[in-house]
Amino acid sequence: MRWGCHLPRASWSPGLGRVLQPADERVPFLIHWSWPLKGERPLGSPRAFIRHNGSSVGNGPSCGRHGQLFRGIAASEALQRHRHNLAEWFSRLPREERQFGPTFALDTVHVDPVIRESTPDELLRPLAELALERQPPSAGLPPLALSQLFDPDACGRRVQTVVLYGTVGTGKSTLVRKMVLDWCYGRLPAFELLIPFSCEDLSSLGPAPASLCQLVAQRYTALKEVLPLMAAAGSRLLFVLHGLEHLNLNFSLASTGLCSDPEKPEAPAAIITNLLRKYMLPEASILVTTRPSAIGRIPSKYVGRYGEICGFSDTNLQKLYFQLRLNQPDCEPGAGGVSVTPAQRDHLVQMLTRNLEGHHQIAAACFLPSYCWLVCATLHFLHAPTPAGQTLTSIYTSFLRLNFSGEMLDSTDPSKLSLMAYAARTMGKLAYEGVSSRKTYFSEEDVRGCLEAGVQTEEEFQLLRVFRRDALRFFLAPCVEPGHAGTFVFTVPAMQEYLAALYIVLGLRKTTLQRVGKEVAELVGRVGEDVSLVLGIMAKLLPLRALPLLFNLLKVVPRVFGRVVGKSREAVAQAMVLEMFREEDYYNDDVLDQIGASILGVEGPRRHPDEPPDDEVFELFPMFMGGLLSAHNRAVLAQLGCPIKTLDALENAQAIKKKLGKLGRQVLPPSELLDHLFFHYEFQNQRFSAEVLGSLRQLNLAGVRMTPLKCTVVAAVLGSGRHDLDEVNLASCQLDPAGLRTLTPVFLRARKLGLQLNSLGPEACRDLRDLLLHDQCQVTTLRLSNNPLMAAGVALLLEGLAGNTSLKHLSLLHTGLGDEGLELLAAQLDRNQQLQELNVAYNGAGDTAALALAKAAWKHPSLELLHLYFNELSSECRQALRDLGSTAEGGARVVVSLTEGTAVSEYWSVILGEVQRNLNSWDRSRVRRHLELLLRDLEDNRGATLNPWRKAQLLRVEGEVRALLEQLGGPGS
């Protein structure tokens, strides 16, 4: 796993202008662009189109210049309604885009991809074997802007038909959206009327005859009044035909006759063919978008200009896109009050920009605008408020849906195989073989072997040719890393693990025994009943004792095959679980930090980003396997032509649960434990997680950087559990108040709660107070040491203590309380009657405050131990505390030194243990001074006692103190 925008593709289909339903799970996320307009005014005002250079227009579409053609009032109003409706519809967001904030709009972040003009000779040139290399730009043909597409060609001839082509992910749909919105807002004055058609929509009509006027009127009701003027519009009428690969066009006169009448009913394919022939509306302008494999469906003599959409071949375009999308303001805070500040967004952009400049493989992947979208969506998932139910797997599944939904591999093939299903079978096989052999670099032989496996017929070779031309570059890219010339890598490393997981859950990985066994079982199943009936009759008529045995064998065959399949599922589950709990990966970063580092790079003197790791890590593979089995992702995959049967998903889940139950009980390092929880978060099955994690009693995530997403993951997986947690250790996790609020459901189940070294301030104490006052709180031990709580925070904690009945042990070691904090504790300590131990050591408190707290502790009915060492106490105060403790009967013991009288204190190891643990975080000079005082005290007591046993104990403790002083760089004596 090493480290991935375009605006999502969209398809068009009938329905524009009807009452628009809110996008939810029942409505497909795709924005269908050519639904018929019924004439009603769409809900809401159209959004202004804001270009990437910062210019903007008003809140409504401009009327533009209608010239002489539409100067009539009725025609002008109809055209204005058409502009308004198109602008409203093309500005609507799919569900995947709403995660970027309530004010996010696609038009505010649009960056034009590079369009390179090409010639018919280039299109006839044979492609490279794998069609992965980018073609060099033609000499003398500069990039084209949208406004230049219909400019005269090099010979000065007028261009009427433009064909734009590009592989999957280069941004064809986005470019069409941009052009339509440009026209709606008056920025394409060369065209008075623009009519977009979705070829996918037209292909769904089949051969049913309809005239061009009927097709327009059905989809754009507002244009009914101007249909008679279409013929007179000439070149100022622009037809946009998006996705020509969905239409089967035949330009031979024998198959498609000539037709010039826009009102004559014909098959939609025939109408489009005559438009392109310039036989119908010969003066009209036409813009066609298509995948490369379908370019030849239009004879070149009917095309005035070819343009290849090259994506973001300039890294400056990538950087501009990331700046615009990642700097979106006004994102609503999440459930815990989490929000991304402008400074944090700027930091993300800066780190990503630096990684793009230094890591050429990432820049090569972001050549495809769609992968820029994936990079932004992943970063938003990692760093911004996470929408409910969103997972990393759902982001990748949605990414594929944005690019492949409704896409057939070849519309001319009778099988109508979906493009995604073909990719899962071929690219999934390559991905899984890479994961199995732990490699990410593939030779040309590796790629060809997976692509051509099982290809035998001419039809299969044709499908392979289409896939190579249209989609192979989407999944694979030539490796640009040093030392790997001539090899290929998956465009985004995580996509390899996703496709490998998809290959498994779809059941595409089959051994030879499984393939043969399935065929035999199906054959036996088809004829078994008939044969059994015949054998049963024969057994009654003839004395053949072997027939009943044969009869039973026929019944056994399908069950044997079922067991073989079950064993295969168990083997896959075993491999997945072993990958999740590999001991070699125990002490690397958690998988979420790995994803972030692969995109943003790492800060500090790490290895060069182009240098491969010593061993490839595939920790996302099991996460994606769990995520793909969730109900939501299975529903989306079904839309892509990759259905996962519910029974298969259930059996896979049972096999995984069986293996997790055996290996999941072992004690894991913090980063691996978080990965285990992230697997359950991706799976999105609370019942499954509750059964597997039922034995978890200690949640130790110490040292894991708890981002808002990680807090959400832990809370979602463990927050709804029923069993108690003996201990939750979140020491040194960079927690903030928002994280505390998110994790409150987990804290309510904990008995011991460790929050040391988290830089929690007084604000966090409000959430801790609410936790202590919660009626379900069962925390008995709360460790808050090494947090700057200050006196203001203690005041809030005391409010919680007053109403709490469970807390027994409270550590406020090194929390900056000072005299004010200790005095507050002394005054209000009696409001809690259950506390048994209180640690306020190393708080800079003086004699007066320490004595006041000690007296309050002695009077407390339940307090047994009070820690006051490492405070700024005079020798007289320490002696007074010892004397007071020796005269008190039944009061709390006060720990102020390593000695008690002339003997060693029984808490000496506790004191020195705290020093050892915090040696690197505490003020070294201050700690050295305190240790020197303790050492002097030990030496004095050793000289004052004659007991040899006590002398030996004091000498031992002196040695420990001297060792600590040596670590601090001070003298040992």
Side-chain angles (χ1 to χ4, degrees), residues 112-118 141-149 162-165 175 305-311 313 317:
D112 287 337
V114 174
I115 303 175
R116 180 180 63 85
E117 186 171 359
S118 56
L141 294 177
L144 291 171
L146 278 181
S147 58
Q148 299 173 322
L149 292 179
V162 176
V163 174
L164 297 180
Y165 65 95
L175 205 61
R305 173 172 284 130
Y306 290 97
E308 180 184 6
I309 303 175
C310 297
S313 55
L317 296 178

Side-chain angles (χ1 to χ4, degrees), residues 54-359:
S55 63
S56 61
V57 294
N59 290 330
S62 169
C63 295
R65 297 181 296 176
H66 297 167
Q68 301 296 317
L69 184 60
F70 299 106
R71 62 182 179 179
I73 296 177
S76 178
E77 290 179 352
L79 189 60
Q80 178 61 14
R81 288 198 305 272
H82 179 59
R83 289 177 183 267
H84 185 282
N85 291 336
L86 278 182
E88 172 69 15
W89 186 246
F90 276 68
S91 298
R92 290 186 177 272
L93 295 175
R95 184 174 65 247
E96 284 78 0
E97 296 291 8
R98 286 195 285 274
Q99 65 178 307
F100 291 103
T103 63
F104 175 81
L106 295 178
D107 50 12
T108 64
V109 295
H110 180 78
V111 179
D112 287 337
V114 174
I115 303 175
R116 180 180 63 85
E117 186 171 359
S118 56
T119 63
D121 292 339
E122 289 183 63
L123 301 177
L124 294 174
R125 182 190 308 160
L127 291 177
E129 180 65 20
L130 289 177
L132 287 174
E133 301 290 347
R134 274 182 259 167
Q135 300 295 326
S138 301
L141 294 177
L144 291 171
L146 278 181
S147 58
Q148 299 173 322
L149 292 179
F150 289 91
D151 287 354
D153 62 13
C155 299
R157 292 172 297 198
R158 183 161 64 96
V159 173
Q160 290 181 280
T161 302
V162 176
V163 174
L164 297 180
Y165 65 95
T167 58
V168 174
T170 50
K172 298 183 293 295
S173 300
T174 303
L175 205 61
V176 171
R177 179 193 297 273
K178 164 76 159 51
M179 193 166 197
V180 172
L181 288 174
D182 270 354
W183 179 80
C184 290
Y185 297 119
R187 287 195 288 269
L188 287 180
F191 304 107
E192 293 187 34
L193 178 59
L194 183 145
I195 301 176
F197 279 116
S198 164
C199 294
E200 182 183 1
D201 171 31
L202 296 178
S203 69
S204 67
L205 301 177
S211 68
L212 176 62
C213 291
Q214 287 174 331
L215 291 177
V216 174
Q218 288 172 1
R219 284 150 184 78
Y220 307 106
T221 310
L223 294 181
K224 283 184 177 180
E225 300 178 20
V226 300
L227 287 178
L229 302 176
M230 278 199 311
S235 63
R236 298 177 71 80
L237 168 62
L238 174 62
F239 287 100
V240 177
L241 306 177
H242 178 58
L244 185 73
E245 66 273 4
H246 293 280
L247 277 179
N248 298 327
L249 303 182
N250 193 329
F251 280 78
S252 68
L253 292 176
S255 299
T256 306
L258 298 175
C259 177
S260 61
D261 185 0
E263 297 185 0
K264 181 180 178 181
E266 293 280 355
I271 293 175
I272 299 302
T273 299
N274 281 291
L275 279 175
L276 292 169
R277 283 172 173 165
K278 312 309 295 179
Y279 200 78
M280 183 183 295
L281 301 179
E283 297 297 319
S285 301
I286 302 175
L287 175 68
V288 178
T289 66
T290 183
R291 300 202 307 247
S293 63
I295 297 175
R297 297 185 189 179
I298 306 177
S300 60
K301 64 180 180 180
Y302 298 125
V303 180
R305 173 172 284 130
Y306 290 97
E308 180 184 6
I309 303 175
C310 297
F312 294 154
S313 55
D314 184 354
T315 55
N316 290 323
L317 296 178
Q318 301 173 11
K319 295 175 186 177
L320 177 60
Y321 181 87
F322 291 133
Q323 289 171 0
L324 291 172
R325 184 170 282 259
L326 293 176
N327 279 317
Q328 285 296 304
D330 302 327
C331 289
E332 294 178 351
V338 183
S339 61
V340 182
T341 65
Q344 291 172 323
R345 289 195 292 264
D346 291 340
H347 182 63
L348 286 179
V349 173
Q350 291 173 7
M351 291 190 66
L352 180 55
T353 300
R354 286 199 301 268
N355 207 28
L356 283 172
E357 294 170 349
H359 191 173

Side-chain angles (χ1 to χ4, degrees), residues 776-855:
Q776 296 180 10
C777 178
Q778 52 185 346
V779 176
T780 60
T781 301
L782 178 59
R783 295 187 289 269
L784 297 173
S785 55
N786 297 297
N787 288 295
L789 303 181
M790 316 303 286
V794 168
L796 293 169
L797 284 177
L798 286 169
E799 296 178 16
L801 285 173
N804 180 271
T805 58
S806 65
L807 192 64
K808 301 291 190 297
H809 309 275
L810 175 62
S811 175
L812 299 175
L813 170 74
H814 192 217
T815 51
L817 303 185
D819 288 342
E820 183 182 358
L822 264 65
E823 289 170 357
L824 282 171
L825 284 169
Q828 302 186 41
L829 191 61
D830 58 350
R831 296 176 63 185
N832 180 285
Q833 301 295 310
Q834 284 77 36
L835 199 63
Q836 297 177 1
E837 182 181 5
L838 176 63
N839 189 340
V840 289
Y842 197 15
N843 271 293
D847 295 353
T848 305
L851 283 169
L853 180 58
K855 292 177 181 178

